[in-house]
């Protein structure tokens, strides 16, 4: 119980201090997707990696609305169900759906700054 309370306090403090940013959200989301995709790895699903330092170094190239879109994208990724060999196509389609949610919301300059180009 104490650990849970400390966890809630730590999250609240992070939110109040503004230490977390969209790059941290994306990093956590990509780690979650990698973990969820692991059961499908033998079925051909490739894990995805994310360069948090590159993102943080270039985040100023993104507008507030682009940051919001990327935050929503990270949330979408975190909410994906775990992949199984039987659900691999559904998992891939859901992942693609998350990616398509960025369409028209993140410009080339911001996208290239965050993921490289």
């Amino acid at each position: 119980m104490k650990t849970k309370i400390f966890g809630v306090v730590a999250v609240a403090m992070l939110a109040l201090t503004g230490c977390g940013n969209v790059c941290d959200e994306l990093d956590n989301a990509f780690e979650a997707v990698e973990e969820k995709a692991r059961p499908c790895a033998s079925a051909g699903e490739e894990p995805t990696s994310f360069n948090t330092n590159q993102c943080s170094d270039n985040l100023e190239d993104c507008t507030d609305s682009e940051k919001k879109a990327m935050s929503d994208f990270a949330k979408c990724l975190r909410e994906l169900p775990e992949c199984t060999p039987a659900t691999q196509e559904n998992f891939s389609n859901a992942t693609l759906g998350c990616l398509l949610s960025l369409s028209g919301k993140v410009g080339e300059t911001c996208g290239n700054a965050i993921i490289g180009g």
Side-chain angles (χ1 to χ4, degrees), residues 6 14 16 19 21 31 38 44 49 57 60 64 73 75 77 79 82-84 86 88 91 93 99 107 112-113:
F6 287 128
L14 238 169
L16 291 173
C19 291
N21 65 32
E31 285 179 14
R38 190 163 283 129
S49 61
D57 290 346
E60 71 273 358
D64 288 343
F73 170 64
K75 180 181 178 192
L77 291 178
E79 292 177 350
E82 185 171 327
C83 186
T84 68
Q88 179 183 0
F91 182 82
N93 289 339
L99 184 60
N112 287 341

Side-chain angles (χ1 to χ4, degrees), residues 39-90:
C40 292
S42 63
E45 193 71 28
E46 294 286 327
T48 308
S49 61
F50 181 74
N51 187 331
T52 308
N53 291 333
Q54 178 179 334
C55 177
S56 296
D57 290 346
N58 296 294
L59 194 57
E60 71 273 358
D61 291 340
C62 302
T63 66
D64 288 343
S65 63
E66 288 172 320
K67 292 174 190 175
K68 168 78 169 99
M70 288 187 290
S71 182
D72 292 344
F73 170 64
K75 180 181 178 192
C76 183
L77 291 178
R78 285 190 308 272
E79 292 177 350
L80 289 172
E82 185 171 327
C83 186
T84 68
T87 62
Q88 179 183 0
E89 186 174 339
N90 289 341

